[in-house]
Amino acid sequence: MGAPIHSRLHDFIEPSPAGAPAAAGLPDPAPQPLRSALLDLVESAPAAPPLTDDQPRPKPGVPAYHTPVFVPAHPRSVAGTGTDGRPARVPFVVFELFDHPAHGTVAFAFTSPENLVAALGEAQPWVATSLGPLAEGVREQGVTVLLDPSAAPAEPHWQPEDLAAYAQEVRR
């Protein structure tokens, strides 16, 4: 498993908004301004408590930091030097990014592991994180987070044999 796994991201589709006109013979609707799906969470969140303490708060437009999400990701490591000066592997986690036809490069975040499995398959590696720091971190790279994206029926991106091969490679 020497080559990285590339997702077939064009398989991912977003449902058409309710009441959208059919494409046959109707003029295209006026283009809508780009809007992050995360803004829906911000608008539906309860009002923030008054700022009477010195606790850090999310930046405007970023959901609460404690909102848990499940993100496609997998471990990696690089050769480095341990604290004792000997060669060592330095582990880290890589979030998987996807190409989306309407949103460019995106990170998928799911509100439950079941939603992630339904979209990407049961062999998809993932990590749990908080939505706020995820959105803020990838925004700095020009990446949008899509929450609970739907996927067109397709073969999952990671297969059980991919996981087995990856585990073998990591153990070396």
Side-chain angles (χ1 to χ4, degrees):
M1 185 162 157
I5 293 177
H6 294 284
S7 298
R8 296 176 307 277
L9 304 175
H10 60 278
D11 293 339
F12 287 86
I13 58 169
E14 296 296 317
S16 296
L26 294 176
D28 290 334
Q32 297 294 319
L34 293 177
R35 176 179 162 83
S36 172
L38 294 176
L39 291 176
D40 296 334
L41 287 176
V42 173
E43 291 170 354
S44 65
L51 298 176
T52 57
D53 57 20
D54 291 335
Q55 295 296 318
R57 304 280 189 240
K59 292 181 179 180
V62 177
Y65 278 64
H66 66 275
T67 305
V69 291
F70 304 89
V71 182
H74 58 275
R76 291 276 173 116
S77 65
V78 294
T81 304
T83 56
D84 59 359
R86 293 191 298 178
R89 298 297 300 173
V90 179
F92 60 98
V93 173
V94 175
F95 291 116
E96 293 184 17
L97 301 178
F98 300 88
D99 291 324
H100 189 279
H103 301 289
T105 302
V106 298
F108 292 161
F110 297 89
T111 54
S112 72
E114 294 80 15
N115 290 352
L116 183 141
V117 168
L120 300 176
E122 63 185 21
Q124 173 65 50
W126 55 268
V127 297
T129 188
S130 295
L131 184 56
L134 170 68
E136 197 168 277
V138 298
R139 178 173 50 191
E140 294 170 359
Q141 305 301 316
V143 174
T144 302
V145 175
L146 294 182
L147 190 62
D148 285 328
S150 59
E155 197 164 310
H157 300 282
W158 283 74
Q159 301 292 323
E161 56 271 12
D162 297 329
L163 288 177
Y166 188 77
Q168 283 289 94
E169 185 177 312
V170 170
R171 288 186 186 121
R172 291 181 194 185

